[in-house]
C-alpha cells in the first residue's frame, strides 16, 4: 500500500473529519487493517524521527510527482505539526470501498488533551 495521506491534503487531512456514507465504506478485513495502520504509522515514525525522505517514499506516487522532498517536508512541518510533533495518537476504524481505497482517521492528542483528527486515504 502507498499512503495517499499527504497527497490529498485538502480533502483527506482536513482538521474536521466528516463521516463517509455508510453504504460506500465497510469495515476492512484484518489484513487490510494491519497493512493500513502499518503504512500510516511507518510514515508517522519517519516524520517524527526527522526522516522526511523516508516518509516521502511512503507517500503516493501522485504526491511524489506533485511535490519535491523539500516542499513535502516544509508542508508537513508548517501545516501538520501534530503529525510531526510528539503528540500521542490513536488509530480509528479502518474501512475500505471494496475496490482500491481504504481510510482511517487518526486522532493526535497533545499534553493538554487537545485533539486533531486527520483522515488518511490509502490505495490498496
Amino acid at each position: 500500500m502507498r499512503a495517499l495521506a499527504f497527497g490529498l491534503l485538502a480533502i483527506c487531512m482536513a482538521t474536521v473529519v466528516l463521516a463517509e456514507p455508510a453504504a460506500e465504506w465497510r469495515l476492512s478485513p484484518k489484513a487490510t487493517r494491519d497493512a493500513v495502520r502499518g503504512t500510516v504509522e511507518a510514515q508517522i515514525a519517519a516524520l517524527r524521527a526527522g526522516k522526511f525522505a523516508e516518509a516521502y517514499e511512503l507517500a503516493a506516487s501522485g504526491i511524489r510527482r506533485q511535490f519535491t522532498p523539500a516542499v513535502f517536508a516544509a508542508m508537513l512541518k508548517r501545516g501538520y505539526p501534530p503529525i510531526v510533533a510528539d503528540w500521542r495518537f490513536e488509530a480509528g476504524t479502518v474501512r475500505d470501498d471494496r475496490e482500491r481505497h481504504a481510510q482511517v482517521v487518526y486522532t493526535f492528542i497533545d499534553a493538554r488533551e487537545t485533539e486533531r483528527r486527520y483522515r488518511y486515504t490509502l490505495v490498496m
Side-chain angles (χ1 to χ4, degrees):
M1 288 195 177
R2 286 254 175 223
L4 283 179
F6 300 116
L8 303 174
L9 292 170
I11 299 168
C12 297
M13 295 201 57
T15 57
V16 177
V17 178
L18 303 175
E20 294 291 331
E24 295 179 26
W25 297 91
R26 65 167 180 165
L27 179 64
S28 297
K30 183 175 180 346
T32 301
R33 293 191 311 263
D34 291 346
V36 165
R37 288 184 182 135
T39 299
V40 172
E41 292 175 19
Q43 193 171 53
I44 292 168
L47 292 169
R48 291 182 172 185
K51 298 178 180 178
F52 288 91
E54 187 177 313
Y56 181 79
E57 289 303 315
L58 289 168
S61 59
I63 297 309
R64 294 191 314 271
R65 283 191 303 271
Q66 199 173 3
F67 302 103
T68 66
V71 170
F72 175 80
M75 175 179 56
L76 290 167
K77 289 176 188 176
R78 186 174 48 252
Y80 301 92
I83 296 171
V84 179
D86 193 23
W87 292 24
R88 80 177 193 271
F89 60 86
E90 299 170 356
T93 303
V94 178
R95 299 186 183 282
D96 63 71
D97 65 1
R98 296 180 175 90
E99 293 179 19
R100 356 180 8 222
H101 299 95
Q103 289 187 345
V104 61
V105 173
Y106 271 75
T107 303
F108 291 82
I109 307 148
D110 72 5
R112 294 184 200 149
E113 298 300 311
T114 302
E115 295 183 358
R116 299 285 296 266
R117 289 181 181 85
Y118 298 99
R119 178 179 298 123
Y120 288 78
T121 301
L122 294 87
V123 176
M124 298 188 282

